[in-house]
Amino acid sequence: NHSYWNNHLIFTNGFTSISQAMFHDDDFIKTITFEHGGTSPLDIKKQAFRHCGGITDGANHIKWNDREFTFSSTLINANNNNNGIFEDCPNLTSFFIPKGFPCIPPRFLCECANLENVYWDKDSSVTTIYGNYAIYSTKITHLHIPASVVSITGDHIFAINNSLTKITFGAGSRLKH
């Protein structure tokens, strides 16, 4: 239910799960596309795309379309190193959080050392950012958290982001800051 084509990874709408570490250390993937629809959410397991060095501009090279997603294995042993879905992607400079994400799992974008921008769908459905190094050790200078986020849990959520100078919250945010 997935195929490579000229370094482009395409997941058909019948694909329901990306197994743990399925594409770990894959430097040949340049783009990822998730086809529209699907009868059930696509479950992305921990380390699925960990240390993928070929993806650079995630905001434009990962097409989420209208898929719904779950992250069933990422909340288990959340403090363990190297469990993040996109953890330690050294060349990733931007990332888009689509409407279909229910949360940001632990260590999701941890140690993406060149990550400068995180963009959110205007109709974000993310309600929780699970800390434990969710967005950790990056080059982000300004981080916006949409109003849909009602809970940020865990430790070291934005730690070692020496460039981070500003965090803004969406209009009507219920987070206390």
Side-chain angles (χ1 to χ4, degrees):
N1 288 335
H2 74 279
S3 60
Y4 280 107
W5 185 80
N6 197 22
N7 301 334
H8 305 288
L9 185 59
I10 301 168
F11 292 93
T12 63
N13 60 13
F15 205 76
T16 59
S17 181
I18 300 174
S19 27
Q20 180 175 334
M22 187 169 191
F23 300 101
H24 181 279
D25 281 331
D26 192 327
D27 287 338
F28 297 104
I29 298 172
K30 303 294 183 205
T31 66
I32 303 170
T33 300
F34 298 92
E35 286 186 346
H36 292 279
T39 56
S40 60
L42 175 59
D43 188 31
I44 303 176
K45 306 288 188 189
K46 61 187 176 185
Q47 302 176 352
F49 298 102
R50 184 178 179 277
H51 204 262
C52 285
I55 302 170
T56 56
D57 182 6
N60 292 302
H61 296 158
I62 301 173
K63 302 295 182 198
W64 301 100
N65 292 310
D66 64 352
R67 292 295 297 267
E68 295 290 324
F69 299 89
T70 59
F71 310 107
S72 67
S73 71
T74 59
L75 300 180
I76 302 165
N77 298 322
N79 288 322
N80 288 0
N81 287 338
N82 309 320
N83 273 346
I85 293 172
F86 284 95
E87 183 169 351
D88 195 24
C89 289
N91 299 316
L92 191 63
T93 59
S94 66
F95 199 86
F96 177 76
I97 308 291
K99 178 182 179 182
F101 276 26
C103 66
I104 302 300
R107 303 187 72 86
F108 187 69
L109 293 168
C110 180
E111 296 179 344
C112 292
N114 288 304
L115 184 65
E116 296 177 351
N117 296 297
V118 173
Y119 305 100
W120 301 80
D121 189 284
K122 65 180 176 64
D123 296 320
S124 175
S125 57
V126 171
T127 58
T128 303
I129 297 174
Y130 290 98
N132 303 5
Y133 310 95
I135 302 172
Y136 170 90
S137 190
T138 70
K139 288 185 177 179
I140 295 172
T141 58
H142 174 248
L143 182 64
H144 176 77
I145 298 175
S148 63
V149 176
V150 296
S151 176
I152 298 176
T153 65
D155 298 323
H156 310 291
I157 298 159
F158 308 117
I160 310 183
N161 285 312
N162 296 329
S163 301
L164 186 61
T165 59
K166 184 177 183 181
I167 298 176
T168 59
F169 299 89
S173 175
R174 293 175 278 169
L175 286 172
K176 303 294 183 209
H177 54 283

